[in-house]
């Protein structure tokens, strides 16, 4: 992966919020400053994916991404620590939503209800352009090792958070066997759902939210508390 710009490492560590699933996700509306940062991260991610799809990762520089996003390269390093990690906001989309939902779910209701829910309760990308950007990105993970590494790292980090949430609800420790297995099943279902949706050659493929719903339904038996 491309190295962090000199002097930008500390700024990146505090500003990127990567991986987003590692923070305290909330369902409530975030402050304006956070919304602006999130919008900037998403715009960077969109432009990075567009350039990666056109030129490949090796053929795209951090300077290219910054220019396409309308920011300086110095500002770019405040949001990310490598050009590959620019894409994280698109990859953590469903994971962030599920994490926030799990954290806010009433303790007296089964967690399985939260993560399965109904297709209408699950996130859909805000616009067709984001859906296509996510699909292009997940397709690229098949041929670009750097992006594949980011994809797997995002899910690895999400799994740790899922285990913490499940452990809090069940009285276990996050490193106990039960929450770790349950978290792995949940995480795997989400990852495979997004890959299945993105890799499908069917022009009439189901919306992402419905594919996630189906995958979580399959995994439901492992998530009962």
């Amino acid at each position: 992966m491309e190295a962090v710009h000199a002097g930008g490492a500390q700024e990146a560590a505090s500003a990127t919020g990567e991986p987003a699933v590692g923070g305290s996700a909330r369902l409530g509306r975030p402050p304006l400053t956070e919304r602006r940062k999130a919008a900037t991260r998403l715009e960077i991610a969109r432009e990075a994916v567009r350039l990666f799809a056109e030129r490949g990762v090796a053929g795209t520089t951090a300077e290219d991404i910054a220019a396409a996003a309308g920011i300086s390269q110095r500002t770019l390093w405040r949001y990310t620590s490598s050009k590959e990690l620019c894409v994280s906001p698109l990859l953590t989309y469903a994971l962030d939503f599920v994490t926030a939902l799990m954290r806010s779910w009433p303790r007296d209701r089964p967690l399985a209800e939260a993560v399965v829910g109904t297709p209408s309760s699950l996130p859909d990308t805000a616009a067709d352009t984001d859906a296509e950007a996510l699909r292009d990105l997940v397709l690229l993970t098949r041929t670009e090792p750097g992006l594949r590494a980011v994809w797997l790292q995002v899910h690895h980090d999400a799994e740790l958070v899922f285990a913490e949430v499940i452990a809090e609800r069940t009285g276990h420790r996050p490193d106990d066997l039960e929450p770790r297995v349950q978290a792995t099943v949940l995480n795997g279902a989400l990852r495979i759902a997004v890959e299945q949706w993105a890799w499908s050659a069917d022009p009439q493929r189901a919306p992402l939210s419905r594919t996630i719903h189906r995958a979580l339904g399959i995994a439901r038996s492992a998530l009962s508390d």
Side-chain angles (χ1 to χ4, degrees), residues 100-114 169:
L101 190 60
M102 289 170 64
R103 288 192 185 280
S104 65
W105 199 250
R107 295 285 180 131
D108 59 348
R109 296 176 61 184
L111 188 58
E113 292 180 4
R169 296 176 60 92

Side-chain angles (χ1 to χ4, degrees), residues 54-122:
E54 291 177 358
R55 310 175 185 179
V57 173
T60 303
T61 67
E63 185 177 4
D64 294 333
I65 296 171
I71 59 176
S72 68
Q73 191 171 345
R74 179 182 177 85
T75 299
L76 178 70
W77 293 132
R78 294 174 182 165
Y79 285 92
T80 188
S81 57
S82 76
K83 64 182 182 183
E84 291 88 348
L85 283 171
C86 287
V87 304
S88 293
L90 285 170
L91 294 180
T92 60
Y93 179 75
L95 300 173
D96 290 341
F97 181 89
V98 173
T99 299
L101 190 60
M102 289 170 64
R103 288 192 185 280
S104 65
W105 199 250
R107 295 285 180 131
D108 59 348
R109 296 176 61 184
L111 188 58
E113 292 180 4
V115 298
V116 175
T118 63
S120 61
S121 71
L122 293 169

Side-chain angles (χ1 to χ4, degrees), residues 12-216:
S14 62
T16 59
E18 292 170 351
V21 291
S24 298
R26 295 176 298 175
L27 286 178
R29 190 171 178 80
L32 179 59
T33 300
E34 291 305 314
R35 296 202 302 273
R36 286 174 175 166
K37 288 181 179 178
T40 300
R41 291 189 189 99
L42 187 56
E43 182 61 22
I44 291 170
R46 290 170 181 152
E47 294 299 333
V49 171
R50 181 180 64 80
L51 292 170
F52 291 160
E54 291 177 358
R55 310 175 185 179
V57 173
T60 303
T61 67
E63 185 177 4
D64 294 333
I65 296 171
I71 59 176
S72 68
Q73 191 171 345
R74 179 182 177 85
T75 299
L76 178 70
W77 293 132
R78 294 174 182 165
Y79 285 92
T80 188
S81 57
S82 76
K83 64 182 182 183
E84 291 88 348
L85 283 171
C86 287
V87 304
S88 293
L90 285 170
L91 294 180
T92 60
Y93 179 75
L95 300 173
D96 290 341
F97 181 89
V98 173
T99 299
L101 190 60
M102 289 170 64
R103 288 192 185 280
S104 65
W105 199 250
R107 295 285 180 131
D108 59 348
R109 296 176 61 184
L111 188 58
E113 292 180 4
V115 298
V116 175
T118 63
S120 61
S121 71
L122 293 169
D124 242 331
T125 38
D128 290 343
T129 53
D130 285 348
E132 286 308 307
L134 174 60
R135 183 169 183 268
D136 288 345
L137 177 53
V138 178
L139 284 171
L140 282 167
T141 65
R142 305 178 83 174
T143 57
E144 293 283 1
L147 297 181
R148 183 67 179 176
V150 173
W151 177 233
L152 295 177
Q153 185 64 49
V154 161
H155 277 277
H156 172 75
D157 294 337
E159 192 170 297
L160 300 178
V161 177
F162 291 160
E164 290 177 0
V165 176
I166 293 170
E168 289 171 2
R169 296 176 60 92
T170 59
H172 290 89
R173 295 178 306 178
D175 58 352
D176 284 346
L177 183 62
E178 182 177 0
R180 289 188 63 197
V181 170
Q182 291 176 326
T184 299
V185 172
L186 171 59
N187 184 47
L190 289 168
R191 179 180 61 80
I192 292 171
V194 176
E195 291 178 347
Q196 188 85 358
W197 168 80
W199 296 349
S200 174
D202 185 355
Q204 302 299 321
R205 64 183 179 275
L208 176 57
S209 60
R210 188 168 296 278
T211 306
I212 291 173
H213 177 252
R214 286 185 58 204
L216 291 176

